[in-house]
Amino acid sequence: MRRVVRSAVFCVLATVSSLAQPNIYSLTNNYSYIPPGFPNYGIAQGSIFDVFGSGLAPLTTNLQSMPLQTMLDGVSLTVTVSGVTTRPLIYYLSSTQIAAVLPSGTPPGLGQITVTNGGATSPAAVIQVVRSAFGLVTNYDSHYPNAAVAFDANWAPLDTTNAANPGDHITLWGSGLGPVTGDEAIAPAPVDLSDIPIEVDIGGVPASVTYHGRSGSPGLDQINVIVPEGVSGCGVSVAVRTGSIVSNFATIPVAAGGRACSDPLVVNWPGSGTFLRMGSLSLSKSVTYELSSTVMTESATATFQEGEITYGAAGLSVGSCFVSRHFGNEWSVTPGPFQLPPLDAGPAINISGPLGSASLSPQQKGYYSGVIGGASGSGAVLPAFIPDAGGDFTFGNGVGGADVGPFTASFVVVPLIWTNMNAVSTVSLEDGLTVAWNNGAPSTAVTIGGTSTTMYGDQTVVGYFECLADAAAGTLTVPDMVLQSLPASTIQGYFAPLNGPASSLSISNTTGPIAFGAPGLAQGTIAVGFTITNSVQYK
């Protein structure tokens, strides 16, 4: 398995601008992009890292071949830590980004980095050098978000039709395993960095590591592992811990048998790439325990539209976890409900259940929504619509509309119950966390999610995690590797950009797609969702 690869893939920004005073905005690992403020941040000795800023270079270059140089087109970098000065080797230049290799001889600790462009030197920025902080290479063009760039024993890339099997040897790629000796400007010898402690978890299960060290390009690392037994799915999580620092999270496809992966309990909505007249109905209940108050909201929506609908991949597989991050004060805006032509389904969509009935008003053609129980946007509190025991419910549209004829769609609601919520008010970032529940719809997945918010200077730092479990299991333990990727909570209470508690733990379950038919529709689906959120502190 100790093979080397003679090329590396670098995620870069290609922007050309005129020569300007250089300024450094941020530094990250070239593959993980973990920002400062997180416990697993740091630029590892010998790693490929990125400098982001403005005026960094007079032009955009191609990826440089070996031997790498410390100066390229009049641009150089200088790093000083604990009185030791080193000069990174440059892979790539643009006005807004430099990709370089931090020399292994740079000592760990806080130091300074500058960029010199044509004789003009930037103000010094802080660099946090660590011995090891690995970043996994991911494929952003994959249908599965953050899919790891991974190869099987025959050097064929893993994908949904060439999935790994338990027991297979596979190779992962990245940078940041740790320092090496020798000339780092040229192709490194494939030496196992056995002095660097490593753990690779696949689907939350530790995998056997057969090699971890440099590969065929400066700063590029490879990890050879054996896929553990008992994991499968198209989005099986992968994470690497070197020493005490956890990498970014990625996914790989694993099949229990054969080479085509599958996720039987994960919701995969039908209709990919097909021209459809489609109706989607949903009923949801959300309960948020926010410090001294409790907010319960029950709502329903109905959407009718037509067009060529392409659905993305489901994402995570059952048994896996994923961590994502937000750094800064910019927040995305949720798009409107329609990107396809709407269909008229009538003047109202009605829903009835054991406790009564409600009517959804059209917000625009083809889109109906309403709060039918609990707290509403106007501040009013409505009686509960979904009983604790669940029961039989029905959607209908009366006489129908110009595009969608009359229909009646019946379904059963099975509420999710979080049984150990009151025992979880503080979450240790050093230990695993067990969450337990009852119910959950049969043959569905339960999602455990968490958010921890703090500040790094004047920037908001938010860590998110999500884990999937079989609803029938009734329990899931969030691995310590996941929790060690989150910042400690310093912001509690309601946090407007997140529309909920700034630091929280939640459990949710979705039933669906449940099929229904209606005149004028090629396809109809119903989804029922339950979410319970508790304000907690991560420390």
Side-chain angles (χ1 to χ4, degrees), residues 26 30 91 193 206 299 368:
S26 65
N30 185 70
Y91 258 119
L193 297 178
S299 60
Y368 308 74

Side-chain angles (χ1 to χ4, degrees), residues 447-512:
T447 300
I448 311 300
T451 299
S452 185
T453 305
T454 187
M455 297 296 293
Y456 181 79
D458 61 351
Q459 301 295 304
T460 304
V461 175
V462 186
Y464 313 85
F465 77 87
E466 179 179 294
C467 300
L468 260 65
D470 186 342
T475 185
L476 177 138
T477 298
V478 180
D480 60 354
M481 193 179 287
V482 171
L483 298 174
Q484 288 170 14
S485 302
L486 303 179
S489 306
T490 61
I491 300 177
Q492 297 292 105
Y494 188 84
F495 191 53
L498 297 180
N499 196 29
S503 299
S504 62
L505 181 66
S506 66
I507 180 171
S508 61
N509 175 240
T510 298
T511 305

Side-chain angles (χ1 to χ4, degrees), residues 286-303:
S286 172
V287 183
T288 300
Y289 297 90
E290 165 54 19
L291 299 180
S292 60
S293 64
T294 301
V295 178
M296 185 274 285
T297 301
E298 296 168 323
S299 60
T301 63
T303 302

Side-chain angles (χ1 to χ4, degrees), residues 122-149:
S122 70
V126 174
I127 184 170
Q128 180 177 331
V129 179
V130 296
R131 184 169 184 244
S132 181
F134 189 70
L136 277 162
V137 182
T138 55
N139 182 3
Y140 292 95
D141 293 330
S142 169
H143 288 297
Y144 278 74
N146 296 297
V149 174

Side-chain angles (χ1 to χ4, degrees), residues 165-227:
N165 294 155
D168 282 357
H169 290 249
I170 65 171
T171 299
L172 304 169
W173 305 98
S175 186
L177 284 180
V180 296
T181 58
D183 187 352
E184 293 182 274
I186 62 176
V191 177
D192 197 320
L193 297 178
S194 56
D195 60 331
I196 304 291
I198 188 170
E199 177 184 345
V200 178
D201 281 7
I202 297 178
V205 180
S208 296
V209 179
T210 61
Y211 173 79
H212 66 295
R214 288 293 188 273
S215 190
S217 298
L220 181 67
D221 296 322
Q222 74 179 71
I223 301 174
N224 299 338
V225 298
I226 301 173
V227 178

